[in-house]
Structures are given as C-alpha cells and as structure tokens.
Amino acid sequence: MELTKLEHAALILEEAGRRLFIDPGAFTTAITDGTRADAIVVTHEHPDHWTREQLDRIVQASPGVTIFAPAGVAAAAGDIPITVVAHGDSVTAGPFRLRFFGRKHAVIHESIPVVDNVGVLVNDALYYGGDSFTIPDGVDVNVLAAPAGAPWMKVSETIDYVLAVKPRHAFPTHEMVLSRAGKDMSNQRLAWATEQGGGTFHPLEPGDKLSV
C-alpha cells in the first residue's frame, strides 16, 4: 500500500490500483484527480478536514465511491450521502479494510462544542486518529499519522501519544497551522518520540510518498 501525504490532514492510500482518500479539507489544495476511489473517510466535521467542494470533485470522478464518517459529519453534510461509522465498526471498501476507533474530538476549549471524531486503521497498517489522541487498543501500529500542530494540542501531548503508540514508523500531519520553523521543531520532537520505541520518523511534506 502506498501513502501520499497532501497538505494538512489529507492523505491518499493506494492499493491494487484503487484509492482511499482521508480528510480532504479546506487547507488542502483542490483535489483534481479523484479517479479510482473506492472510499473517502472523514474523521469529523471541521472544515479543515472536509469541504463539500473537495467531496464533490472526488464523487464526480468516482461515482461509486462511499463516504464513511461519524454521525456529526452526516448531520453537517446535508444531502451528501454518508455511511455513518462509529467506534468499533469495521468495513471493507475495495481492497481497503477499515476499523474505526474513538468517539470525540480533543477538547479545544470549554467554550467550543466537542464534536464526533473517529480514528481509522487502514489494512491493519496505517492508523490516523483524526483530531484526537485515541490509541487503537490491541493494535500493533506499523505507521502512525502523528499530529504536529493544532489549537487542540500542545507538543507534549503528541510526544506522549507517539510514546504510547510505539509505531514502527510515523510522519507528521495536521501541520498547515505551523510556520516552517514550527514544522521543523515539531518534526524534531516527533522524531525523538518515535525513536524511543525503536521506530523511524519520516518528515513527509505535501506530495511525498511512503510505502505502508
């Protein structure tokens, strides 16, 4: 399986010539090639993780694509068909086996509502938690998408998250809110945390690929 990192929180996974899109949002360059897609996963309803325009482009290019998301996204999406998933669910879409973990977005502030959020494990290899530090119980994570910067986190929390998960490989996500200096600092901290568990950190930039 091949992973392509896009800007911010968006990813493309490719297996056997088919594709899975994850969190194509407002901080991600318009996706102009949505062909060969079997599924889209949206972890939660915030616009940096999905927009109607991004979904429409993929659906138009791959009319049979299924969109998996928690109930909060289904409510926000209006007339866009959403297959609702929740913690503990497992589904298959083409060559992709998806398992979902977690229930809520990390707290930003007590004045801001806490929305639904699911993390996703793809083909028992890649784990992406969305905007949460949910650890997938009983999973030996090969590749972890580790949050690098966000209003809902501080760097000590993501360091502890990586230390707890102990992935064999990790790369940064959710980093478009950071300056270049901020990205470099987060990458240094995340690399240290990954290496403590014997793993390798990959400081992927948008467009970079990784075999999963």
Side-chain angles (χ1 to χ4, degrees), residues 68-93:
F68 298 101
V73 173
D79 60 348
I80 300 175
I82 301 290
T83 298
V84 173
V85 290
H87 176 77
D89 287 347
S90 297
V91 301
T92 299

Side-chain angles (χ1 to χ4, degrees), residues 6 11 50 97 105 113-114 126 130 145 168 173 182 189 195 208:
L6 304 182
L11 306 173
W50 78 282
R97 302 180 309 280
H105 191 288
V114 178
L126 167 76
R168 295 186 187 91
T173 188
R189 304 302 184 192
E195 290 162 2
D208 287 350

Side-chain angles (χ1 to χ4, degrees), residues 6-11 22-29 42-52 54 105 108 115 117 128 130-131 149-152 173-177:
L6 304 182
E7 295 94 346
H8 199 53
L11 306 173
I22 300 178
D23 280 1
F27 295 170
T28 301
T29 299
V42 177
T43 60
H44 64 284
E45 64 196 74
H46 291 160
D48 58 325
H49 291 255
W50 78 282
T51 66
R52 175 177 289 270
Q54 293 280 41
H105 191 288
I108 302 171
V115 301
N117 181 94
Y128 169 62
D131 283 7
W152 47 270
T173 188
H174 212 285
E175 84 290 9
M176 291 300 284
V177 295

Side-chain angles (χ1 to χ4, degrees), residues 9 14 19 21 54 63 74 85 89 107-108 151 154 156 159 165 170 179:
E14 186 166 346
R19 287 160 147 184
F21 289 83
Q54 293 280 41
V85 290
D89 287 347
V107 174
I108 302 171
K154 54 186 178 181
S156 63
I159 289 171
V165 174
S179 66

Side-chain angles (χ1 to χ4, degrees), residues 68-154:
F68 298 101
V73 173
D79 60 348
I80 300 175
I82 301 290
T83 298
V84 173
V85 290
H87 176 77
D89 287 347
S90 297
V91 301
T92 299
F96 302 104
R97 302 180 309 280
L98 310 176
R99 295 171 59 193
F100 297 95
F101 296 85
R103 296 177 173 85
K104 293 295 181 182
H105 191 288
V107 174
I108 302 171
H109 186 263
E110 62 182 12
S111 65
I112 299 173
V114 178
V115 301
D116 294 338
N117 181 94
V118 291
V120 62
L121 178 69
V122 182
N123 288 353
D124 297 320
L126 167 76
Y127 181 66
Y128 169 62
D131 283 7
S132 80
F133 293 117
T134 299
I135 296 171
D137 290 339
V139 176
D140 186 12
V141 175
N142 183 35
V143 179
L144 176 68
W152 47 270
M153 59 157 276
K154 54 186 178 181

